[in-house]
Amino acid sequence: MKSFDYVMTAPEGIHSRPAGALVKKAQEFESEILVSFGGKSANARKLFALMKLGVKRGDTVSVTAEGADEELASSAMADFLASHF
Amino acid sequence: MEKTYGTAASPGIVRARAFFYERVVPVSGRPFSGAEAELARFLAARDEAVGQLLGLRDKASVEIGEEEAAIFEIGAMMLQDEDYAACVEEAVRDRSLAAERAVAEASESFSAQLAASGDAYLSARAADVKDASARVVGILCGGRTAPEPDGPVVLVADDLLPSETVSMDRSLLLGIATSGGSPNAHTAILARSMGIPAVVCLGPAAGRSAHGRDVVLDGDNGVLVLDPDAAEAGAADSRAAEAAARKASLQSLRGLENRTRGGRLVDVFANAGSQADVEAALANDAGGIGLLRSEFLYLEKDRYPTEEELFSSYRAAAESMAGRKVVIRTLDVGADKSAPYLGLAAEENPALGLRAVRLCLSRPALFNTQLRAILRASAYGTVAIMFPMIATVRDVEECLRALDGARAELQAEGVSFDPCLETGIMIETPAAALVAADLASLVDFFSVGTNDLAQYTLAADRQNAAVRSYYDQGHPAVMRLIGMAARAAKDAGLWIGVCGELAADASRTAELLAMGVDELSVSPSSVLALRARIRELD
């Protein structure tokens, strides 16, 4: 399992439009990718679950990837978050 | 002839045939045909709906813009969400519901969860879930079609979903009249971005009985006329022709500078009292928002707005303007313009009473909430703050002290704001104009509110028709006071704007510019006309 933390800098946090892009990215990998915040976790492939986390600017989320391509998935998600959120 | 008044939602006037559009209402009585069969029906309908939504996304991105297009893409992703499908499957397998009923339930459940999130942005997405789900239900029930008129029409409906407005052939859509809806609803915003008139809240007049009849839709005044007589029709036609000619000539000015023939550049900004106005300002190529009123955030409520509510509205304005200046005015209410929860005592003479900053300074908590919200919004664009109804140096000093207090709080909390936020005051009392030189050393800019300045200078209540002839914003006394304020501003190196009705008066533009006025802020629809005026001055 690979994991990392990320501080949201996007002004709107994870809302529908950026969340949609995140889901698409997560779907590229076999690994299960979880985004956790405030004691709740959401599968990064699930749009509603991500939106309902209510992540706002300045919040720290932790991301874990587990599966065959977890190395690749984790670093790709880190890059993706840094450039989109 | 039958005339009905509703709420104006998008400006313009048009005369055309009405086309009544009714959404296909799902048949709920369809029997359950077995879990596997129902799930197969659901998946097929869902995939078809996803395909349609992606098609709409492409259409919207070409015809309207990426923001609108994204709504449809998100709708498609919502339908493909695993939890959404699981919810439908549960209803089908465990409770033997037919596919359309199961989808309708999933739609309710997911939209309710988003609506309950307490976040304004997420709550608004509830409508997107419903819209996307309704599409699936429509397919399951044998077709939910977009309105398909056979010629140019005014679309009449109870209310319209965004997808219905977009799926229509836009060349046939001349106006929108709805019996329900609101001026802030999506359809109204779409109509404004398409530049077609819309009137909402018309009640039964915008019903089935209007179908096929000749109508005049007046989006400036919020009127729908069924079967107009010759005089009404002729007046509408000539207003429409005039507006079209004016619009065409003004539109050619988009993107051009507000530069006089002599080479002087002037800022032409827009006044706004809502997010819809901010969008209209952008649509009309305003260089910024010269006056963002805060009153709408207070007067439409039955309780004090929270800091978060104020912040999210101010931030939305700052973000929409994307770096162009947004001058936010703190609350300007008084005994004559109030909401019950504010608990303002009745006054003999509210125009001269406890109003605007006088009220805010007497209620530190009310003021502090606004100041914090405005400062926080300043991190999301170019924001300036402006205090109304200043009469004395002490007023300004107290406002600035309160602002410093809010800054210190945010700093201690580690909340970001723009350290270079400009502070300014309105010059709308004769006293402020007369002591402008003393006030100038305290702030970064002045903005002349000519509506109040004229009323106070000429001692003429602007609401009182009996003294209408005394109320003249261009009166020499008012003009001289503006000149004094402008001189004081120039001497101190400040910029000065005018945000009252006088700013849009083409007969006064030359005089104001000669005084040294740097910025004129007018209603969004007047921006291009003022640009035209400036460009013909020497």
Side-chain angles (χ1 to χ4, degrees):
Chain A
M1 188 177 85
K2 298 293 293 178
S3 66
F4 65 91
D5 286 350
Y6 182 77
V7 181
M8 278 296 147
T9 55
E12 63 281 342
I14 298 189
H15 275 143
S16 63
R17 196 175 171 191
L22 184 67
V23 168
K24 276 191 183 166
K25 191 74 198 170
Q27 285 170 346
E28 293 174 14
F29 303 98
E30 259 180 56
S31 297
E32 179 167 88
I33 300 167
L34 288 180
V35 179
S36 309
F37 168 69
K40 292 181 288 184
S41 285
N43 186 323
R45 294 165 182 270
K46 296 183 176 182
L47 181 67
F48 287 111
L50 277 177
M51 286 165 70
K52 286 190 296 188
L53 283 181
V55 176
K56 303 217 167 19
R57 181 192 177 105
D59 292 339
T60 303
V61 296
S62 53
V63 180
T64 62
E66 189 163 12
D69 55 358
E70 61 189 36
E71 289 278 347
L72 187 62
S74 175
S75 69
M77 291 308 289
D79 287 347
F80 183 79
L81 284 172
S83 58
H84 290 75
F85 293 90
Chain B
M1 187 165 86
E2 194 181 319
K3 211 166 184 170
T4 309
Y5 290 83
T7 305
S10 176
I13 187 164
V14 66
R15 182 165 73 93
R17 190 165 49 82
F19 179 88
F20 180 71
Y21 168 65
E22 189 173 35
R23 194 167 304 138
V24 176
V25 182
V27 200
S28 56
R30 200 181 159 282
F32 181 67
S33 57
E36 296 311 322
E38 293 296 345
L39 287 174
R41 288 181 65 227
F42 161 65
L43 290 175
R46 183 196 67 179
D47 291 347
E48 188 178 337
V50 167
Q52 289 178 359
L53 284 165
L54 296 178
L56 283 171
R57 172 199 62 189
D58 297 342
K59 188 168 191 281
S61 85
V62 174
E63 293 178 0
I64 300 176
E66 287 304 325
E67 282 295 321
E68 296 296 344
I71 291 176
F72 300 117
E73 171 147 32
I74 291 297
M77 295 185 75
M78 285 171 164
L79 294 181
Q80 291 173 300
D81 185 81
E82 292 174 26
D83 292 331
Y84 182 89
C87 181
V88 172
E89 186 167 348
E90 181 271 334
V92 170
R93 288 199 193 281
D94 300 355
R95 288 183 289 130
S96 304
L97 291 186
E100 46 271 63
R101 289 276 310 281
V103 171
E105 279 198 8
S107 168
E108 279 306 314
S109 153
F110 281 87
S111 61
Q113 288 171 35
L114 292 178
S117 66
D119 178 307
Y121 191 91
L122 282 186
S123 304
R125 304 282 74 74
D128 301 340
V129 185
K130 284 190 178 167
D131 189 3
S133 303
R135 181 171 297 280
V136 180
V137 172
I139 291 166
L140 285 166
C141 295
R144 165 172 176 268
T145 51
E148 277 177 13
D150 52 6
V153 294
V154 166
L155 192 64
V156 172
D158 291 339
D159 201 2
L160 288 166
L161 293 167
S163 62
E164 292 166 329
T165 328
V166 172
S167 6
M168 237 191 110
D169 182 347
R170 289 182 57 197
S171 63
L172 302 180
L173 189 55
L174 301 182
I176 299 175
T178 63
S179 49
S182 93
N184 294 317
H186 212 94
T187 298
I189 294 168
L190 271 169
R192 285 193 288 268
S193 70
M194 290 178 180
I196 58 172
V199 179
V200 299
C201 306
L202 281 159
R208 179 184 303 281
S209 61
H211 187 76
R213 290 160 77 179
D214 189 24
V215 299
V216 167
L217 184 70
D218 178 352
D220 299 319
N221 301 303
V223 184
L224 176 72
V225 187
L226 297 174
D227 306 321
D229 59 24
E232 187 85 29
D237 289 346
S238 63
R239 264 180 65 199
E242 250 171 57
R246 203 167 47 232
K247 200 169 165 186
S249 75
L250 288 180
Q251 284 304 314
S252 67
L253 297 176
R254 288 183 56 92
L256 297 184
E257 291 181 316
N258 305 304
R259 193 186 284 279
T260 64
R261 288 185 185 167
R264 178 152 164 224
L265 259 182
V266 185
D267 280 325
V268 177
F269 288 4
N271 297 336
S274 66
Q275 181 61 22
D277 288 346
V278 172
E279 278 153 29
L282 277 174
N284 285 285
D285 204 20
I289 302 293
L291 165 63
L292 178 63
R293 301 181 179 92
S294 295
E295 290 75 73
F296 76 102
L297 296 164
Y298 285 82
L299 299 181
E300 290 168 5
K301 290 211 157 49
D302 52 9
R303 55 166 178 83
Y304 286 98
T306 64
E307 181 183 320
E308 286 306 313
E309 286 172 328
L310 296 176
F311 164 64
S312 77
S313 297
Y314 292 146
R315 183 183 115 178
E319 288 185 334
S320 301
M321 295 306 290
R324 300 185 188 195
K325 190 178 290 182
V326 178
V327 180
I328 303 177
R329 181 175 73 184
T330 59
L331 186 59
D332 186 11
V333 298
D336 54 336
K337 189 168 72 172
S338 175
Y341 70 87
L342 287 166
L344 298 185
E347 289 179 345
E348 192 87 349
N349 219 334
L352 307 181
L354 186 67
R355 60 185 306 117
V357 290
R358 299 172 177 185
L359 173 70
C360 289
L361 289 171
S362 76
R363 297 189 182 188
L366 168 72
F367 202 24
N368 188 246
T369 306
Q370 291 173 64
L371 299 174
R372 285 176 57 103
I374 294 170
L375 282 168
R376 286 173 59 195
S378 71
Y380 297 87
T382 307
V383 170
I385 188 170
M386 172 160 83
F387 301 107
M389 186 79 185
I390 295 294
T392 67
V393 166
R394 197 190 58 212
D395 284 338
V396 185
E397 288 172 344
E398 287 187 23
C399 287
L400 294 177
R401 202 172 307 133
L403 184 62
D404 281 340
R407 277 199 190 100
E409 283 179 15
L410 293 176
Q411 217 144 25
E413 295 163 24
V415 178
S416 54
F417 57 87
D418 176 5
C420 307
L421 170 100
E422 284 189 320
T423 56
I425 55 172
M426 294 211 41
I427 302 290
E428 53 187 340
T429 65
L434 291 164
V435 299
D438 303 325
L439 302 172
S441 63
L442 300 171
V443 294
D444 302 311
F445 67 92
F446 288 162
S447 182
V448 184
T450 55
N451 301 1
D452 271 334
L453 185 61
Q455 128 162 317
Y456 293 134
T457 305
L458 301 163
D461 181 349
R462 59 179 153 134
Q463 321 280 7
N464 186 342
V467 294
R468 190 74 192 86
S469 63
Y470 288 91
Y471 184 79
D472 169 17
Q473 298 201 1
H475 188 284
V478 180
M479 295 305 285
R480 277 181 218 172
L481 287 170
I482 299 173
M484 292 178 71
R487 212 158 34 246
K490 296 295 105 178
D491 287 348
L494 271 54
W495 64 268
I496 180 168
V498 174
C499 65
E501 280 161 30
L502 190 70
D505 181 347
S507 70
R508 298 288 172 179
T509 312
E511 207 174 334
L512 291 173
L513 296 190
M515 287 175 179
V517 169
D518 303 286
E519 176 250 13
L520 296 165
S521 191
V522 298
S523 70
S525 56
S526 304
V527 167
L528 291 171
L530 183 56
R531 174 171 300 167
R533 176 63 182 151
I534 289 168
R535 291 172 65 86
E536 64 191 27
L537 292 175
D538 290 325

